[in-house]
Amino acid sequence: MSNPNLSRRGAILAVAAMLSTSSNLAFAATDSDEKLNLMSVTKDPGCGCCGAWADLAIEAGFEVETTETGDYVGMKRDAAVPENLWSCHTTRIGGYIVEGHVPFAAIRQLLEQRLDITGIAVPGMPAGSPGMGGGVEATAEVIAWGGIAGDGRAFPLGG
C-alpha cells in the first residue's frame, strides 16, 4: 500500500526541481539575449577604418570587444569566410560571422530573423559604407553565405 504523505512529498520535490530548472533556464536565456549584442571584432592593428566601424557599432548600441592580429589570412580562414567575400575585419556576433563594413541595420535584421546561414558580408571596402566615410545609418550591398544562402546571395534573402 502506498503512503499518501510520501506521494505528496515526492510531488512537492518534483515541482521544486522543475521550478529550479526553469528558473535556471530563464537566467540562461537572459544571459544569452544579452550576449546577442556582443560583437567580437578581429582586425589588423594598423587598420583605421576597422576601428571607425567598431566605434560606429558602439554608437549603434552594440557592445564591442576588439582583438588585433597580423594574420589576415588566418583570421578569414578561422571564421570560414569565402575568399570572394573578404574585407578588412571579421566579427562574430550571436553565432554568426559578419565580414567587413556591414550596415548595422542588416546585423540587427540577421539577429532578429535567426536565419540558417553562416554570415553576412560587405566584400572589399566600399566608400560610403559604415566606417568608410559613412555613419551609423550608412548602407551597402550585403551578401549572405552558408546554409540556405549557399555560396552567396543578396541579403536580406528574398523569395
Side-chain angles (χ1 to χ4, degrees):
M1 188 177 263
S2 68
N3 182 339
N5 290 330
L6 188 55
S7 296
R8 201 172 303 135
R9 181 175 184 252
I12 290 170
L13 289 174
V15 169
M18 287 185 337
L19 290 174
S20 172
T21 302
S22 63
S23 170
N24 290 339
L25 291 174
F27 285 123
T30 302
D31 188 40
S32 157
D33 289 344
E34 291 171 12
K35 298 282 188 226
L36 281 179
N37 201 40
L38 175 64
M39 291 183 166
S40 297
V41 179
T42 306
K43 68 178 209 63
D44 182 274
C47 188
C49 65
C50 298
W53 185 86
D55 289 344
L56 289 171
I58 293 168
E59 189 177 327
F62 292 96
E63 184 180 341
V64 176
E65 292 177 347
T66 303
T67 303
E68 296 184 339
T69 181
D71 185 7
Y72 178 81
V73 172
M75 168 178 43
K76 305 306 171 188
R77 291 202 174 132
D78 285 348
V81 178
E83 192 169 344
N84 64 317
L85 300 179
W86 286 5
S87 183
C88 53
H89 59 272
T90 302
T91 301
R92 295 174 190 270
I93 183 169
Y96 293 103
I97 304 297
V98 174
E99 177 69 9
H101 294 269
V102 175
F104 304 108
I107 297 169
R108 281 190 199 92
Q109 182 177 0
L110 174 64
L111 294 173
E112 287 170 10
Q113 292 180 344
R114 303 302 303 167
L115 298 171
D116 177 20
I117 62 174
T118 302
I120 55 178
V122 171
M125 299 165 57
S129 62
M132 290 295 299
V136 172
E137 301 298 324
T139 62
E141 183 179 334
V142 179
I143 305 296
W145 85 91
I148 62 173
D151 291 336
R153 291 182 37 203
F155 181 83
L157 304 177

